[in-house]
Amino acid sequence: MMARLRVNGQEHVLDLPAGERLIDVLRDRLGLTGTKQGCRAGECGACTVLVDGRPMQACIMLACRVHGEVRTVEGLGERFMPLRQAFADEGGFQCGFCTPGQLMRAAALLAEAPLERLGDEAWLREQMNGNICRCTGYCGIIRALMNEDVRTLARDLRGEPAVTEGGFQA
Amino acid sequence: MAPIGTRTRHVDWMAITDGSAGYAADLRLEGELAAAVLRSPHPHARIVSIDTSRARALPGVHAVLTAADVPETLYLDYRVMDRDRRILAADVVRHVGEPVALVAADDAETAARALDLIDVRYRRLPVADTVAKALSPSAPAIHPHPEERNVAARVRRDLGVAPQGAPASAHSVRASYSSTRQTHATMEPHTVKAYWKADEKCLHVWAPSQNPRLIHRDLAQLFGLDTSAVRLHQLAIGGDFGGRTQISGTEALVCALSLATGRPVALHQSRAEEFAFTKWRLAWDMDLALGCDAGGKVTTLQASFDVDNGAYNQAGPGEMVYGSVALGSSYRWLGYQADGRCVYTNRVPASSFRGAGGYAINWALECAVDELAEKAGIDPIDFRLANAVGDEHEVSLTGWEIKSSGLRRCLQAVREGIDWDARRRQGGKGRGVGVACTIHVTALSRDYMLRSSCALDIDGRGHVIIRSGCGDAGTGQKTLICQTVSTILGVPLDRISIVTTDTLVTPHDAGAGASRGSFVAVNAARTLASKVRADLSAVALDHFGIGDGEPDWADGVVRSGNHVMELGELALLAGSAQGYSAQTEYVGASHDPDPRGYEDISPTYSFAAHAVEVEVDEALGTVKVLKVVAAHDSGTILNPLSARGQVEGGVVMGLGAVLGESLIFEEGRVVNPSYADYVLPRPADAPPIETIFVDVADSVGPFGSKGLGEIPLITIGPAVTNAIAHATGLRLRTAPHTPDQIVTAARRRDGKSLRAGSIAARPDRWWTAAVRTAYPRGLHKGLRLLSERVGRPRPAGRIETIRPAAGIDEALDLLHEGGADAPIAGGTDLLALETQGLPLPGRLVDIAGLGELRDIETRDDGSLRIGSSVTLADLAESAACDPVLRKTAALIATPQIRQAATVGGNLCQTKRCWFFRNGFDCYKRGGATRPCYAVMGDHRFYHSIQDAHRCQAITPSDLATTLVALDAEIEVRRSGGVRRVAAEHFYEGPGETGLASGEIVGAVEIPAQARRRRSAYRKLALWQGAFAIATACVSAELSGGRISDLRVALGGVGPVPVRVHRLERMLRGQRPDPTAIEAGIAAWMKGTHPLRDNHWKAFATADLLRRTLSDVLERPS
């Protein structure tokens, strides 16, 4: 089947078997190995990418059915550097394998969640419940999301019009 | 600068957060072949014959190997006498999953097909899949060599006074403890690549491990290669926790294939294989007897234990031996005797797990000590303060010499941190606090653990490249090594980089484990950097023309008075035009193990105390951890950022062990090999954790530091068990403390009935009861054997085609004409089925985007219509939808799943029975001649308590429960027609809808009258978002203070959603009266027919129902 996929702002036209999953297209055909496979059953969140800004699991998506704009960790851009730095400063990762999925899920939250909710730790934990981490115990991840610079980023994401080049399209 | 002691970012933080960190699966080798492993389906069998001819003949297959094609060499284990494992099974298979044959092919699909073409004939042998069976007199000998049948190793300890010689105990505790079967479940599955390059005569290997040198050494010896002919490459490592600390099996399998083909070969283990076939923590069954005198001083400790080793030794005996010493080391016993057996069973081998054997023994001991303190009438913290080993210069009964200790400060810190004294006064009402403390090693003083080299190169620009043989799986050695060199050489961190693991360019490293990672790595780095500084200082001074003195090293510059030299310059001067290199070896003081177990086993010891507050719901069995205070003495904290992470991560992993995690085995096979069913902590379960480091610099550790990696995990478990005891009075002796255990224990404590349901007056259930009775008496076995003779299970399904449709009519026509077999909307269940190797419709029509199916519409008459392709996320957020529906949707799965999953998909998803989903060839998979594995297997959570016949599974849809209570109708569409069916009648069986071929769900409709009622919904699950254990939805209309109309629906309790008509009839027209409600619930419960171990679920569901009724009937109007 012919599929037209937009990934990180670039368009790809691919002839794919109907049963090929988005994660395999990203990793094997497009060389974007930042998206990790933890379970291939939609149960761990490691493969979370954004499709039109919504957090979805690439391992259980069929690539030829994806019609929206796909963003992977490689496409987060400079805009999200405060988030990456917060993860580094607050202990949001140790082995790093779940980190791309955590970052993508977090990016969606920062762009979409009601601002006042971003200060609600219990709510944040529920919202991150689709991303398993075996190393950190989640404390560092939540601290990163509640970090001052990250809150500023969240405010900025709402204040500005959608950025089309090199940055994240909310 | 990033001196030791400061918060420093992980040196790889940029690569980790931008997706460029390279794990094994990210690496692409040119011409890579795919490996597949044929594994034994039997727990114990003789291999009669293997015929690989058909597999070899398949185009695209490059090699098919059996035991005859690989060396007979045994894998190394820590002790010579423990070596019992071969690369491939030769005559006998001893556990489900044991590798029997290997295939290398052009791609994964071909490799999988080749596996199907390998014919292996087995003759089953008697199975000993539990410790009890393995030790019984009639047990088969799993290995021929042990003197005591099935005892892989035996350990006896006898230190201090004999029990008879000890002063009598005024108080004593005798108790038996069984610990959890936890598995590492690293986020990165085992992924290994190997490439035998014949022209170089070098075997290149990419195998993630925190102990790369052990892998390296073992591969060389297995294949008869010189270690210089094997090269391990650097990789990012996605977690270890002991799971990859020693060679597993995967590494050698891939190397064998590459050696045979001369091509690069890759093995990617699936998540299900990861759970089912990789190592797990040894599970201990332990009897303890301990006492104290009238003054509260401990007297003696006796222990006997059996440890489940699995079928082969993979560090099992070593962990047991260590554990048997650690058990006697933490308190001031006058005498300690222990007798333990490490027992072979027909299960996947158990192995190293974070804690080195300390977790299970510390859990049992700290629980028993807590009980002893209670009997003696002494506060648990005071008891530990008085008795725990932890004074400087103290020597334990086992010979452990304490150098520094902050134990007492840790205990005080948690006492304050959790507000212990105030909270202790309030126990017994469902909230409680508990404490535990630990002593743990920082490495074992063995040569192989304390000998580590480190090397570095400095170039002309003053950039330093460190070369360390370590493997950092997230524990942080890489960063600590850089910090060490930065501190000693005064070089800013951004001018330092580090290469690890690569055996071509890095020297030998002792690896991580037994909490030695930072101790050894930092010592090696410190030794190196100190020598470099001394040597280069001498060169600098000589160059400056100064006699002696200590130059200053800062900012990459060496300075003495007015003489200044850039480090780069100095490197060229001291070395060559290429720069300067140095390598040193750190050798810690080591000694041989003492046969009695009396020795100063570690260079120095760490301490910890954890206090926990929990809230226990005895009726539902759930435990909520409200707060953890974790106080640690690990000496000088080298990097507070990573240290805090070790504590938090270890605590949460320990919470998983004590509250949820367990590998469930059935006939030697893992039943729950998935993240959905193996209950490990997720963010919503994890509590706030306060971490305290007490500042006590150690005299031995580098910069005063001590180990930290394992001790948090070892400490937290018993603190939780003790907190539960404080909250409920229940002393739990088996972990994990799942809801069934708590509900049952609480009822037993209160003298309440443990059996629900009564079928004496229900002849319609007698046949089922008779069949259930026959199952353990031969019926199950007979059906299973019959099923093996009557053909193979249905083959796995694949998604073949997806047809788009412009509109619903076109989609329905496709289904009618046979162009497609089924619709696909979210696809979350379909793709999971494909991964699980289950049959599924392969030709699909895409209905996700059809506008007509995505509407949520409130109609003029007040009814609500929700299209079947509405996602759960949209449903949960829709202001048009009733709150009870929104709540139901919001508690399903995870945010990511809800973005894709749809209303129709949720209703139609296939049953979730873990036997059905995970490869057990049952009645529903293969037909009438097959058994239902849930009758005798683990059915505590996800199986029926009423109305089940041949199949015990339940309908997994949560929406179904709520829709039944709301009188919803399901609109079913077919080509040229529409019909409606009440939600209550939509299902014919568990996850089996009444949809005929060609039909799909178009919408669900909720009548206006239902929407005017008051409704409430509750869900009981093992983790937030998990598939439900049970759901309850109540919808009532009240008028004039009476219940004028009522609907009560229960999900998860029967094959299909249950509408509790009888309860409705009893309450309709009544005032909401507790007595009437209780009578109604009791009537419902009487009609249940639980399986052997899920009576608790009837009681818990009764309470869930009670609360849901209360939500509706007691709501202020």
Side-chain angles (χ1 to χ4, degrees), chain B residues 6 10 57 60 85 155 259 310 360 429 539 547 557 614 631 650 663 684 953 957 959 1053 1081:
Chain B
T6 63
H10 193 301
R85 192 166 59 103
V155 70
L259 284 162
K429 293 169 223 149
V539 172
V557 166
V614 303
L663 284 179
S957 167
L959 277 181
V1053 298
I1081 293 174

Side-chain angles (χ1 to χ4, degrees), chain B residues 547-558:
Chain B
D548 49 25
E550 269 289 335
D552 220 35
W553 288 61
D555 278 311
V557 166
V558 181

Side-chain angles (χ1 to χ4, degrees), chain B residues 316-539:
Chain B
E319 284 222 345
M320 180 190 71
V321 166
Y322 168 75
S324 71
V325 171
L327 183 55
S329 302
S330 55
Y331 286 91
R332 295 170 178 154
W333 308 106
L334 302 172
Y336 165 58
Q337 289 79 32
D339 186 350
R341 295 179 288 196
C342 192
V343 182
Y344 281 123
T345 60
N346 290 124
R347 280 178 174 164
V348 168
S351 186
S352 327
F353 197 112
R354 193 175 185 182
Y359 173 83
I361 62 104
N362 200 57
W363 174 70
L365 181 64
E366 282 296 293
C367 290
V369 163
D370 211 66
E371 282 195 61
L372 185 60
E374 185 180 28
K375 285 200 173 178
I378 299 173
D379 172 270
I381 291 185
D382 290 338
F383 191 90
R384 288 166 171 84
L385 283 169
N387 288 292
V389 167
D391 281 348
E392 241 177 63
H393 309 305
E394 177 174 0
V395 181
S396 74
L397 182 65
T398 51
W400 293 16
E401 295 172 25
I402 310 305
K403 280 67 176 188
S404 67
S405 172
L407 174 63
R408 282 163 177 78
R409 290 174 52 180
C410 288
L411 284 163
Q412 297 295 12
V414 302
R415 172 171 240 148
E416 281 158 30
I418 204 113
D419 199 15
W420 176 264
D421 296 323
R423 297 203 195 288
R424 276 310 276 195
R425 289 193 281 273
Q426 293 163 1
K429 293 169 223 149
R431 270 210 185 185
V433 289
V435 73
C437 68
T438 319
I439 176 175
H440 193 59
V441 298
T442 300
L444 299 182
S445 296
R446 307 280 181 250
D447 184 71
Y448 69 88
M449 280 204 195
L450 292 182
R451 183 181 288 270
S452 232
S453 299
C454 195
L456 60 73
D457 313 308
I458 308 177
D459 68 14
R461 298 169 304 150
H463 283 240
V464 181
I465 299 175
I466 304 169
R467 291 179 279 118
S468 163
C470 74
D472 186 336
T475 33
Q477 290 94 301
K478 282 174 86 162
T479 307
L480 291 178
I481 291 169
C482 293
Q483 281 179 272
T484 301
V485 171
S486 171
T487 302
I488 293 175
L489 297 186
V491 175
L493 206 61
D494 60 11
R495 286 185 228 162
I496 300 179
S497 61
I498 180 168
V499 174
T500 60
T501 307
D502 191 334
T503 53
L504 185 64
V505 301
T506 66
H508 176 84
D509 176 86
S515 295
R516 68 178 180 275
S518 57
F519 181 89
V520 179
V522 172
N523 263 326
R526 197 178 58 141
T527 304
L528 173 67
S530 302
K531 180 163 201 306
V532 166
R533 179 167 169 152
D535 289 353
L536 291 183
S537 289
V539 172

Side-chain angles (χ1 to χ4, degrees), chain B residues 566-904:
Chain B
E566 295 275 341
L567 180 58
E569 240 188 286
L570 181 52
L572 294 174
L573 183 63
S576 68
Q578 277 71 48
Y580 167 83
S581 290
Q583 177 172 318
T584 58
E585 185 182 38
Y586 161 76
V587 183
S590 65
H591 53 264
D592 286 332
D594 179 277
R596 285 188 64 217
Y598 184 88
E599 55 169 315
D600 188 18
I601 204 172
S602 179
T604 186
Y605 304 88
S606 301
F607 295 90
H610 289 181
V612 177
E613 185 180 11
V614 303
E615 188 171 64
V616 181
D617 185 323
E618 292 182 5
L620 297 180
T622 52
V623 177
K624 188 168 165 60
V625 180
L626 299 174
K627 185 174 181 181
V628 173
V629 180
H632 282 264
D633 163 30
S634 284
T636 306
I637 299 301
L638 304 177
N639 184 336
L641 175 56
S642 55
R644 189 178 188 185
Q646 286 301 300
V647 174
E648 292 166 344
V651 163
V652 171
M653 193 177 257
L655 290 176
V658 79
L659 290 175
E661 294 182 42
S662 192
L663 284 179
I664 296 169
F665 286 89
E666 179 65 29
E667 297 172 359
R669 186 169 179 168
V670 173
V671 169
N672 57 339
S674 74
Y675 278 127
D677 292 332
Y678 178 83
V679 185
L680 47 62
R682 289 172 181 259
D685 310 311
I689 300 171
E690 184 187 337
T691 302
I692 301 167
F693 291 114
V694 309
D695 255 308
V696 181
D698 186 66
S699 53
V700 172
F703 302 106
S705 67
K706 301 190 283 188
L708 180 55
E710 296 171 301
I711 193 170
L713 175 56
I714 294 171
T715 315
I716 187 68
V720 172
T721 309
N722 294 336
I724 293 173
H726 184 233
T728 63
L730 298 169
R731 288 282 178 190
L732 301 176
R733 306 261 174 82
T734 306
H737 307 318
T738 44
D740 57 306
Q741 188 189 41
I742 293 189
V743 168
T744 307
R747 293 186 69 89
R748 190 177 281 121
R749 176 199 63 202
D750 298 339
K752 293 182 183 168
S753 159
L754 298 180
R755 294 187 66 80
S758 163
I759 59 157
R762 294 187 54 204
D764 60 303
R765 298 297 301 172
W766 288 353
W767 171 246
T768 303
V771 171
R772 287 185 189 175
T773 313
Y775 254 72
R777 289 168 177 77
L779 179 57
H780 175 97
K781 192 167 178 186
L783 286 170
R784 191 167 44 72
L785 291 173
L786 178 61
S787 74
E788 278 162 29
R789 280 157 180 67
V790 179
R792 314 189 118 185
R794 285 178 287 163
R798 281 193 50 170
I799 292 169
E800 308 277 2
T801 60
I802 304 169
R803 309 280 293 270
I808 182 75
D809 292 322
E810 193 187 320
L812 291 170
D813 286 340
L814 270 172
L815 289 167
H816 176 68
E817 288 152 19
D821 301 315
I824 182 169
T828 54
D829 197 33
L830 280 173
L831 291 227
L833 286 169
E834 192 184 60
T835 298
Q836 287 154 353
L838 280 160
L840 56 92
R843 300 172 319 141
L844 304 167
V845 56
D846 194 335
I847 63 166
L850 297 183
E852 311 105 294
L853 299 180
R854 297 189 55 179
D855 275 335
I856 299 176
E857 189 198 340
T858 307
R859 282 129 122 210
D860 294 334
D861 64 357
S863 65
L864 181 69
R865 181 196 158 87
I866 306 169
S868 64
S869 290
V870 169
T871 66
L872 298 181
D874 286 344
L875 177 56
E877 312 259 288
S878 161
C881 289
D882 306 68
V884 72
L885 271 170
R886 294 169 57 176
K887 179 178 180 184
T888 306
L891 289 177
I892 295 174
T894 64
Q896 288 92 320
I897 291 279
R898 294 195 292 271
Q899 290 290 342
T902 63
V903 169

Side-chain angles (χ1 to χ4, degrees), chain A residues 21 36 40 89 134 138, chain B residues 7 9 661 681 834-835:
Chain A
R21 304 191 187 198
K36 306 302 180 196
R40 209 174 171 84
D89 289 330
R134 203 52 167 153
Y138 306 106
Chain B
R7 293 174 63 88
R9 287 181 183 173
E661 294 182 42
E834 192 184 60
T835 298

Side-chain angles (χ1 to χ4, degrees), chain A residues 21 27-28 36 38 40 43 48 54 60 65 84 89 94-97 125 127 129 131 134-135 138 143, chain B residues 7 9 17 23 25-26 28 183-184 271 645 648-649 661 681-684 825 834-835 846 896 1024:
Chain A
R21 304 191 187 198
R27 289 180 55 83
D28 300 336
K36 306 302 180 196
R40 209 174 171 84
E43 292 174 357
T48 303
R54 295 181 298 137
I60 50 169
R65 301 179 72 214
R84 294 171 51 199
D89 289 330
Q94 290 174 27
C95 84
F97 194 79
R125 283 173 174 278
Q127 290 301 309
N129 218 39
N131 290 76
R134 203 52 167 153
C135 295
Y138 306 106
R143 279 194 295 269
Chain B
R7 293 174 63 88
R9 287 181 183 173
T17 59
Y23 301 84
D26 303 329
R28 294 299 135 92
T183 186
H184 314 80
R271 180 53 59 183
E648 292 166 344
E661 294 182 42
R682 289 172 181 259
E834 192 184 60
T835 298
D846 194 335
Q896 288 92 320
Q1024 186 171 324

